[in-house]
Amino acid sequence: MTDPFTASDPFAALAELRAAGPVHRVRTPDGPEAWLLTRYADVRSSLGDQRLALNRAHSNGADYAGFDLPPQLDAHLLNSDPPRHTRLRREIAPSFTAQRVRAMAPEVRAVAGELARSLPADVDLVADFAVVLPVRIIAELLPLPAEARRDFAAWANALLRHSPGSEPRARDTMHDMRRIIGGALGSAPPGGTLLSGLLAARAGDRLDSDELTSMVFYLLFVWYEIMVHAVSSAVLRLLGTPASLDQGVEEVLRFHPPQLLAAPRYALAELTVDGVTIPAGDTLLLSLASANRDEHVFDDAEAFAPDRSPNPHLSLGHGIHSCPASALTRVIAVAAVEALHEARPGLSLAVTSDTATWRGNFRHHGPATLPGSPG
């Protein structure tokens, strides 16, 4: 059986696993084992299953348990269960309502247009566009003070401008992350902003100190790579196509999910999934990438269909564990392609979806480079 974590084409390997069965015991690249769920129905139901915990304190200590962050960065949504998860989400949810995201859309389009018009002649639409755009949007959203913006941009460049395999891992940049977070929290942000709201929540004892720094870490760093891969994949697939960009971006998210796996889950008690017994404390990995190509849910699932509808993919989560910034991620991806169409109508890529190289680890996935010539 092909290992989906080391295969050059993880989707083909996942299809092989999915055909063989819904649940598999696998060894992760970091060494420890885990249970991998491959079919849509199981992945979707497990995203909201109260028998599964996100907090790694429920791990048995032997299975894979993800990146062990220091406490000051680990009290965020992806390591929290209700009621703490509910409380943390409540503090940022007002910034991502449909109304707020619609209000942000003109600014997102303006930033994307500015970047598109300033592209160099020898352009790489990953390094010169997709890496830069989310930095600018996130920095404005919080907002970050000038020095923290510069540090954040430098961190992003160091992480995602390198050739695949030579870039530092996010976990190796902890010193930089802490400096950027400290710069953000050390500022006096304008009232009514996301960062000022979090600082007010700390002052009002609705967040403790670890939760405050962890939520800024989540807002800055956890979203960032997902947004870069979503923009890069949308540009690769939709640049120069007549497809509806709203539908097209949904299909990009399904077919090229920026995160291949959801955050690890831990069984609170022994449970059975499709006839497989999973002991308490064992880790479950939910394969969003495999679920999105489940033949029982999506017609012609291995084909990219930009007008696919309906498209109930799981790339940005589901239920209470859906990404709070999912609407903003969609707006950024659509705005990116729109800006390139409008500002650079003659732009063409030197690679196709079949010849592009991809970067990422067993959790994330996106184009490594998109060379082209601005029109």
Side-chain angles (χ1 to χ4, degrees), residues 14-345:
L14 288 168
E16 185 180 352
L17 283 175
R18 193 168 57 248
V23 186
H24 300 270
R25 189 69 172 163
V26 296
R27 184 170 296 280
T28 66
D30 288 345
E33 295 185 334
W35 297 98
L36 182 70
L37 275 58
T38 62
R39 295 183 183 173
Y40 184 96
D42 295 321
V43 171
R44 187 178 187 274
S45 64
S46 295
L47 285 169
D49 193 332
Q50 295 184 4
R51 299 174 301 169
L52 304 177
L54 279 166
N55 191 326
R56 65 174 54 87
H58 297 286
S59 167
N60 60 20
D63 269 14
Y64 173 76
F67 180 20
D68 188 16
L69 289 163
Q72 297 84 0
L73 301 181
D74 209 23
H76 55 73
L77 289 171
L78 295 184
N79 192 35
S80 299
D81 303 296
R84 184 171 77 169
H85 181 278
T86 307
R87 176 170 52 81
L88 294 179
R89 192 176 179 106
R90 186 184 301 124
E91 294 299 333
I92 63 172
S95 295
F96 299 101
T97 62
Q99 182 179 1
R100 290 291 293 273
V101 171
R102 282 196 300 271
M104 289 179 62
E107 181 178 358
V108 173
R109 288 194 290 268
V111 173
E114 176 191 336
L115 290 175
R117 289 188 294 273
S118 64
L119 289 175
D122 186 18
V123 65
D124 174 2
L125 287 169
V126 175
D128 300 321
F129 190 65
V131 167
V132 182
L133 179 58
V135 167
R136 292 275 300 273
I137 300 305
I138 293 172
E140 288 294 330
L141 173 68
L142 284 173
L144 289 180
E147 185 175 354
R149 290 183 189 220
R150 290 192 292 270
D151 289 342
F152 186 33
W155 173 86
N157 289 339
L159 191 67
L160 290 172
R161 280 181 182 261
H162 288 73
S163 300
S166 68
E167 70 271 23
R169 296 178 300 177
R171 69 177 62 183
D172 299 325
T173 65
M174 292 297 297
H175 176 75
D176 293 328
M177 290 183 185
R178 285 174 164 169
R179 185 177 70 253
I180 297 165
I181 292 168
L185 293 175
S187 68
T193 63
L194 181 49
L195 189 54
S196 67
L198 291 175
L199 289 167
R202 174 66 189 103
D205 291 327
R206 299 193 306 277
L207 296 176
D208 64 31
S209 295
D210 287 350
E211 289 170 343
L212 173 62
T213 55
S214 296
M215 288 298 284
V216 176
F217 165 74
Y218 174 80
L219 293 167
L220 278 170
F221 299 106
V222 175
W223 286 351
Y224 175 72
E225 193 169 359
I226 291 172
M227 287 184 173
V228 169
H229 292 331
V231 169
S232 300
S233 296
V235 170
L236 173 62
R237 279 292 187 171
L238 301 176
L239 188 66
T241 68
S244 160
L245 290 184
D246 288 332
Q247 280 186 309
V249 163
E250 293 305 319
E251 180 67 349
V252 166
L253 290 170
R254 181 192 76 87
F255 202 75
H256 298 298
Q259 47 184 353
L260 301 177
L261 297 170
R265 265 71 173 169
Y266 312 100
L268 292 174
E270 182 178 284
L271 56 95
T272 301
V273 179
D274 287 298
V276 177
T277 299
I278 297 177
D282 275 15
T283 301
L284 288 83
L285 298 178
L286 314 182
S287 178
L288 306 174
S290 180
N292 284 351
R293 298 199 186 188
D294 190 328
E295 303 81 357
H296 295 94
V297 177
F298 301 96
D299 293 336
D300 204 6
E302 293 296 335
F304 180 81
D307 58 351
R308 185 183 298 274
S309 181
N311 196 341
H313 66 79
L314 300 174
S315 291
L316 299 177
H318 174 70
I320 67 167
H321 294 297
S322 61
C323 174
S326 58
L328 181 58
T329 300
R330 290 173 165 96
V331 166
I332 292 174
V334 169
V337 180
E338 284 179 340
L340 293 173
H341 282 165
E342 294 170 5
R344 301 290 189 180

Side-chain angles (χ1 to χ4, degrees), residues 346-357:
L347 182 68
S348 61
L349 295 176
V351 296
T352 67
S353 57
D354 293 326
T355 61
T357 56

